[in-house]
Amino acid sequence: MIQVKEFLDTDMSLAEKRVNEFLAELNDDQVINICYGSINKVTPTKLSEQRSAILVVYKK
């Protein structure tokens, strides 16, 4: 079965760290594709912060 897992940055955690932890649990032959995207989020104080979204496509 093919699955997709999405990891998003939040104020408390980084997507990259969580993806690396997840990938450590998989075998290399389970990983099909990894997609990365980023956006700029404007905070209430008008500061711009980059947010990441990472999709992992894998075999279960």
Coordinates of all heavy atoms in Angstrom, one line a residue:
M1 N 0.8 -1.2 0.0 CA 0.0 0.0 0.0 C 0.9 1.2 0.0 O 1.9 1.3 0.7 CB -0.9 0.0 1.3 CG -1.7 1.2 1.4 SD -2.7 1.4 2.9 CE -3.7 0.0 2.9
I2 N 0.5 2.2 -0.8 CA 1.3 3.5 -0.9 C 0.6 4.5 0.0 O -0.6 4.6 0.1 CB 1.2 4.0 -2.4 CG1 1.8 3.0 -3.4 CG2 1.9 5.4 -2.4 CD1 3.2 2.7 -3.2
Q3 N 1.4 5.2 0.8 CA 0.9 6.1 1.8 C 1.6 7.5 1.6 O 2.8 7.5 1.1 CB 1.2 5.6 3.2 CG 0.5 4.3 3.5 CD -0.6 4.5 4.5 OE1 -0.3 5.0 5.6 NE2 -1.8 4.3 4.2
V4 N 1.0 8.5 2.0 CA 1.6 9.9 2.0 C 1.5 10.4 3.4 O 0.5 10.4 4.0 CB 0.9 10.8 1.0 CG1 1.5 12.2 1.1 CG2 1.0 10.3 -0.4
K5 N 2.6 10.9 3.9 CA 2.6 11.5 5.3 C 3.1 13.0 5.1 O 4.1 13.2 4.4 CB 3.5 10.8 6.2 CG 3.4 11.2 7.6 CD 3.9 10.1 8.6 CE 3.8 10.6 10.0 NZ 2.6 10.2 10.7
E6 N 2.4 13.9 5.7 CA 2.7 15.3 5.6 C 3.3 15.8 6.9 O 2.8 15.5 8.0 CB 1.5 16.1 5.2 CG 1.7 17.6 5.1 CD 0.4 18.3 4.8 OE1 -0.7 18.0 5.4 OE2 0.4 19.2 4.0
F7 N 4.4 16.6 6.8 CA 5.0 17.2 7.9 C 5.0 18.7 7.7 O 5.5 19.2 6.7 CB 6.4 16.7 8.1 CG 6.5 15.2 8.4 CD1 6.6 14.3 7.3 CD2 6.5 14.8 9.7 CE1 6.6 13.0 7.6 CE2 6.6 13.4 9.9 CZ 6.7 12.5 8.9
L8 N 4.5 19.5 8.7 CA 4.5 21.0 8.6 C 5.2 21.6 9.7 O 5.2 21.1 10.9 CB 3.0 21.5 8.6 CG 2.1 20.9 7.5 CD1 0.7 21.4 7.8 CD2 2.5 21.5 6.2
D9 N 5.9 22.7 9.5 CA 6.5 23.4 10.6 C 5.4 24.0 11.4 O 4.3 24.4 10.9 CB 7.3 24.6 10.0 CG 8.7 24.2 9.5 OD1 9.1 23.1 9.8 OD2 9.3 25.1 8.8
T10 N 5.6 24.1 12.7 CA 4.7 24.8 13.6 C 5.6 25.7 14.5 O 6.8 25.7 14.4 CB 3.9 23.8 14.5 OG1 4.9 23.1 15.4 CG2 3.2 22.8 13.7
D11 N 5.0 26.4 15.4 CA 5.8 27.3 16.2 C 6.6 26.4 17.2 O 7.6 26.9 17.7 CB 4.8 28.2 17.0 CG 4.2 29.2 16.2 OD1 4.7 29.5 15.1 OD2 3.1 29.7 16.5
M12 N 6.2 25.2 17.4 CA 7.0 24.4 18.4 C 7.9 23.3 17.8 O 8.7 22.8 18.5 CB 5.9 23.6 19.3 CG 5.1 24.5 20.1 SD 6.0 25.4 21.3 CE 4.8 25.9 22.4
S13 N 7.8 23.0 16.5 CA 8.7 22.0 16.0 C 8.9 22.3 14.5 O 8.2 22.9 13.8 CB 8.0 20.6 16.1 OG 6.9 20.5 15.3
L14 N 10.1 21.7 14.1 CA 10.5 21.9 12.7 C 10.1 20.6 11.9 O 10.4 19.5 12.4 CB 12.0 22.2 12.6 CG 12.4 23.5 13.2 CD1 13.9 23.6 13.2 CD2 11.8 24.7 12.5
A15 N 9.6 20.8 10.7 CA 9.2 19.7 9.8 C 10.5 18.8 9.5 O 10.4 17.6 9.5 CB 8.6 20.2 8.5
E16 N 11.6 19.4 9.3 CA 12.8 18.7 8.9 C 13.2 17.7 10.0 O 13.5 16.5 9.7 CB 13.9 19.6 8.6 CG 15.2 18.9 8.3 CD 16.4 19.9 8.1 OE1 16.2 21.1 8.2 OE2 17.5 19.4 7.9
K17 N 13.1 18.1 11.2 CA 13.5 17.2 12.3 C 12.5 16.0 12.4 O 12.9 14.9 12.6 CB 13.5 18.0 13.6 CG 13.9 17.1 14.8 CD 13.9 18.0 16.1 CE 14.4 17.2 17.3 NZ 13.4 16.8 18.2
R18 N 11.2 16.3 12.3 CA 10.2 15.2 12.4 C 10.3 14.3 11.2 O 10.1 13.1 11.3 CB 8.9 15.8 12.5 CG 8.7 16.6 13.9 CD 7.4 17.1 14.2 NE 6.3 16.9 13.3 CZ 5.6 17.8 12.6 NH1 5.9 19.1 12.8 NH2 4.7 17.5 11.8
V19 N 10.6 14.8 10.0 CA 10.8 13.9 8.8 C 12.0 13.0 9.0 O 11.9 11.8 8.7 CB 10.9 14.8 7.5 CG1 11.4 13.9 6.4 CG2 9.7 15.4 7.2
N20 N 13.1 13.5 9.5 CA 14.2 12.7 9.7 C 14.0 11.6 10.7 O 14.4 10.4 10.5 CB 15.4 13.5 10.1 CG 16.0 14.3 9.0 OD1 15.9 13.9 7.8 ND2 16.6 15.4 9.3
E21 N 13.2 11.9 11.7 CA 12.9 10.9 12.7 C 12.0 9.8 12.1 O 12.1 8.6 12.3 CB 12.2 11.5 13.9 CG 13.1 12.4 14.8 CD 12.3 13.2 15.8 OE1 11.1 13.2 15.8 OE2 13.0 13.9 16.6
F22 N 11.0 10.2 11.3 CA 10.1 9.3 10.6 C 10.9 8.4 9.6 O 10.7 7.2 9.5 CB 9.0 10.0 9.9 CG 8.1 9.2 9.1 CD1 7.2 8.4 9.7 CD2 8.2 9.2 7.7 CE1 6.3 7.6 9.0 CE2 7.3 8.4 6.9 CZ 6.4 7.5 7.6
L23 N 11.8 9.0 8.8 CA 12.5 8.3 7.8 C 13.5 7.3 8.4 O 13.7 6.2 7.8 CB 13.4 9.2 6.9 CG 12.5 10.1 5.9 CD1 13.4 11.1 5.2 CD2 11.8 9.2 4.9
A24 N 14.0 7.5 9.6 CA 14.8 6.6 10.3 C 14.1 5.3 10.6 O 14.7 4.2 10.8 CB 15.4 7.2 11.6
E25 N 12.8 5.3 10.7 CA 12.0 4.1 11.0 C 11.7 3.3 9.7 O 11.2 2.2 9.8 CB 10.6 4.5 11.6 CG 10.8 5.3 12.9 CD 9.4 5.8 13.4 OE1 8.4 5.5 12.8 OE2 9.4 6.5 14.4
L26 N 11.9 3.9 8.5 CA 11.6 3.2 7.3 C 12.9 2.5 6.7 O 14.0 3.0 6.9 CB 11.1 4.2 6.2 CG 9.8 4.9 6.6 CD1 9.4 5.8 5.4 CD2 8.7 3.9 6.8
N27 N 12.7 1.5 5.9 CA 13.8 0.9 5.1 C 13.9 1.8 3.8 O 13.0 2.4 3.4 CB 13.5 -0.5 4.7 CG 13.4 -1.4 5.9 OD1 14.2 -1.3 6.9 ND2 12.5 -2.4 5.9
D28 N 15.1 1.8 3.3 CA 15.3 2.6 2.1 C 14.4 2.2 0.9 O 13.9 3.1 0.2 CB 16.8 2.4 1.6 CG 17.8 3.1 2.5 OD1 17.4 4.0 3.3 OD2 19.0 2.8 2.4
D29 N 14.1 0.9 0.8 CA 13.2 0.5 -0.3 C 11.7 0.9 -0.1 O 10.9 0.8 -1.0 CB 13.3 -1.0 -0.6 CG 12.9 -1.9 0.6 OD1 12.9 -1.4 1.7 OD2 12.7 -3.1 0.3
Q30 N 11.4 1.4 1.1 CA 10.0 1.8 1.3 C 9.8 3.3 0.8 O 8.6 3.6 0.5 CB 9.7 1.8 2.8 CG 9.5 0.4 3.4 CD 9.2 0.4 4.8 OE1 10.1 0.5 5.7 NE2 7.9 0.5 5.1
V31 N 10.8 4.1 0.7 CA 10.7 5.5 0.3 C 10.5 5.6 -1.2 O 11.4 5.1 -1.9 CB 11.9 6.3 0.8 CG1 11.7 7.8 0.4 CG2 12.0 6.2 2.4
I32 N 9.5 6.2 -1.6 CA 9.2 6.4 -3.0 C 9.6 7.8 -3.5 O 10.3 8.0 -4.5 CB 7.7 6.2 -3.4 CG1 7.4 4.7 -3.1 CG2 7.4 6.5 -4.8 CD1 5.9 4.4 -3.2
N33 N 9.2 8.8 -2.7 CA 9.5 10.2 -3.1 C 9.4 11.1 -1.9 O 8.6 10.8 -0.9 CB 8.5 10.7 -4.2 CG 9.0 11.9 -4.9 OD1 10.1 12.4 -4.7 ND2 8.1 12.5 -5.7
I34 N 10.1 12.2 -1.9 CA 10.0 13.2 -0.8 C 9.9 14.6 -1.6 O 10.7 14.9 -2.4 CB 11.3 13.2 0.1 CG1 11.4 11.9 0.8 CG2 11.2 14.4 1.1 CD1 12.7 11.7 1.6
C35 N 8.8 15.3 -1.2 CA 8.6 16.6 -1.8 C 8.7 17.7 -0.8 O 8.2 17.5 0.4 CB 7.2 16.7 -2.4 SG 6.9 15.4 -3.6
Y36 N 9.2 18.8 -1.1 CA 9.5 19.9 -0.2 C 8.9 21.2 -0.8 O 9.0 21.5 -2.0 CB 11.0 20.1 0.0 CG 11.3 21.3 0.8 CD1 11.3 21.3 2.2 CD2 11.7 22.5 0.2 CE1 11.6 22.4 3.0 CE2 12.1 23.6 0.9 CZ 12.0 23.6 2.3 OH 12.3 24.7 3.0
G37 N 8.3 22.0 0.1 CA 7.8 23.3 -0.3 C 7.9 24.3 0.9 O 8.0 23.8 2.0
S38 N 8.0 25.5 0.6 CA 8.0 26.5 1.7 C 7.2 27.7 1.3 O 7.0 28.0 0.2 CB 9.4 26.9 2.0 OG 10.0 27.6 1.0
I39 N 6.7 28.4 2.4 CA 5.9 29.6 2.2 C 6.4 30.6 3.3 O 7.1 30.2 4.3 CB 4.4 29.4 2.4 CG1 4.1 28.8 3.9 CG2 3.8 28.4 1.4 CD1 2.7 28.8 4.2
N40 N 6.1 31.8 3.1 CA 6.3 32.8 4.1 C 5.1 33.1 4.9 O 4.0 33.4 4.2 CB 6.9 34.1 3.5 CG 8.3 34.0 3.1 OD1 9.1 33.4 3.8 ND2 8.7 34.6 2.0
K41 N 5.1 33.1 6.2 CA 4.0 33.4 7.0 C 4.2 34.7 7.7 O 5.3 34.9 8.3 CB 3.8 32.3 8.1 CG 2.7 32.5 9.0 CD 2.7 31.4 10.1 CE 1.7 31.7 11.2 NZ 1.8 30.8 12.3
V42 N 3.2 35.6 7.7 CA 3.4 36.9 8.4 C 2.8 36.7 9.7 O 1.6 36.3 9.9 CB 2.7 38.0 7.5 CG1 2.8 39.3 8.3 CG2 3.3 38.1 6.2
T43 N 3.5 37.1 10.8 CA 3.1 37.0 12.1 C 2.2 38.2 12.5 O 2.2 39.2 11.7 CB 4.3 37.0 13.1 OG1 5.0 38.2 13.0 CG2 5.2 35.8 12.8
P44 N 1.5 38.2 13.6 CA 0.7 39.4 14.0 C 1.5 40.6 14.2 O 1.0 41.7 14.0 CB 0.1 38.9 15.3 CG 0.0 37.4 15.2 CD 1.3 37.0 14.5
T45 N 2.8 40.5 14.4 CA 3.7 41.7 14.6 C 4.3 42.1 13.2 O 5.2 42.9 13.2 CB 4.8 41.4 15.6 OG1 5.6 40.3 15.2 CG2 4.2 41.1 17.0
K46 N 3.8 41.5 12.2 CA 4.2 41.9 10.8 C 5.6 41.4 10.4 O 6.2 41.9 9.5 CB 4.1 43.4 10.5 CG 2.7 44.0 10.8 CD 1.7 43.4 9.9 CE 0.4 44.2 10.1 NZ -0.8 43.4 9.9
L47 N 6.1 40.4 11.1 CA 7.4 39.8 10.8 C 7.1 38.6 9.9 O 6.1 37.9 10.0 CB 8.1 39.3 12.0 CG 8.6 40.3 13.0 CD1 9.2 39.7 14.2 CD2 9.6 41.3 12.3
S48 N 8.0 38.3 8.9 CA 7.8 37.2 8.0 C 8.6 36.0 8.5 O 9.8 36.2 8.7 CB 8.2 37.7 6.6 OG 8.1 36.6 5.7
E49 N 8.0 34.9 8.6 CA 8.7 33.7 8.9 C 8.5 32.6 7.9 O 7.4 32.5 7.3 CB 8.1 33.1 10.3 CG 8.3 34.0 11.5 CD 7.7 33.4 12.7 OE1 6.9 32.5 12.6 OE2 8.0 33.9 13.8
Q50 N 9.5 31.9 7.6 CA 9.4 30.8 6.6 C 8.9 29.6 7.2 O 9.2 29.2 8.3 CB 10.8 30.5 6.0 CG 10.7 29.4 4.9 CD 12.0 29.2 4.2 OE1 12.8 30.1 4.0 NE2 12.2 27.9 3.8
R51 N 7.9 28.9 6.6 CA 7.3 27.7 7.0 C 7.6 26.6 5.9 O 7.4 26.9 4.7 CB 5.8 27.8 7.2 CG 5.5 28.7 8.4 CD 5.8 28.0 9.7 NE 5.3 28.8 10.8 CZ 6.0 29.0 11.9 NH1 7.2 28.4 12.0 NH2 5.5 29.6 12.9
S52 N 7.9 25.4 6.4 CA 8.1 24.3 5.4 C 7.0 23.3 5.5 O 6.4 23.0 6.5 CB 9.5 23.6 5.8 OG 10.5 24.6 5.7
A53 N 6.8 22.7 4.3 CA 5.9 21.5 4.2 C 6.7 20.4 3.5 O 7.2 20.7 2.4 CB 4.6 21.9 3.5
I54 N 6.7 19.2 4.1 CA 7.4 18.1 3.5 C 6.5 17.0 3.4 O 5.8 16.6 4.3 CB 8.7 17.7 4.3 CG1 9.6 18.9 4.4 CG2 9.4 16.6 3.6 CD1 10.7 18.7 5.4
L55 N 6.3 16.4 2.2 CA 5.5 15.2 2.0 C 6.4 14.0 1.7 O 7.4 14.1 0.9 CB 4.6 15.3 0.7 CG 3.6 16.4 0.8 CD1 2.8 16.5 -0.5 CD2 2.6 16.2 1.9
V56 N 6.2 12.9 2.4 CA 6.9 11.7 2.2 C 5.9 10.7 1.6 O 4.9 10.4 2.2 CB 7.5 11.1 3.5 CG1 8.2 9.8 3.3 CG2 8.4 12.2 4.1
V57 N 6.2 10.1 0.4 CA 5.5 9.1 -0.2 C 6.2 7.8 0.0 O 7.4 7.7 -0.3 CB 5.3 9.3 -1.7 CG1 4.4 8.3 -2.3 CG2 4.7 10.7 -2.0
Y58 N 5.6 6.8 0.6 CA 6.3 5.6 1.0 C 5.4 4.4 0.9 O 4.1 4.5 0.8 CB 6.8 5.7 2.4 CG 5.8 5.8 3.5 CD1 5.4 4.7 4.3 CD2 5.1 7.0 3.7 CE1 4.4 4.8 5.3 CE2 4.1 7.1 4.7 CZ 3.8 6.0 5.5 OH 2.8 6.1 6.4
K59 N 6.0 3.2 0.9 CA 5.3 1.9 0.8 C 5.1 1.4 2.3 O 6.1 1.5 3.1 CB 6.0 0.9 0.1 CG 6.2 1.1 -1.4 CD 7.0 0.1 -2.0 CE 7.5 0.5 -3.4 NZ 8.4 -0.5 -3.9
K60 N 3.9 1.0 2.6 CA 3.7 0.5 3.9 C 3.7 -1.0 3.9 O 3.4 -1.7 3.0 CB 2.3 0.9 4.4 CG 2.0 0.6 5.8 CD 0.9 1.4 6.4 CE 0.8 1.0 7.8 NZ -0.2 1.8 8.5

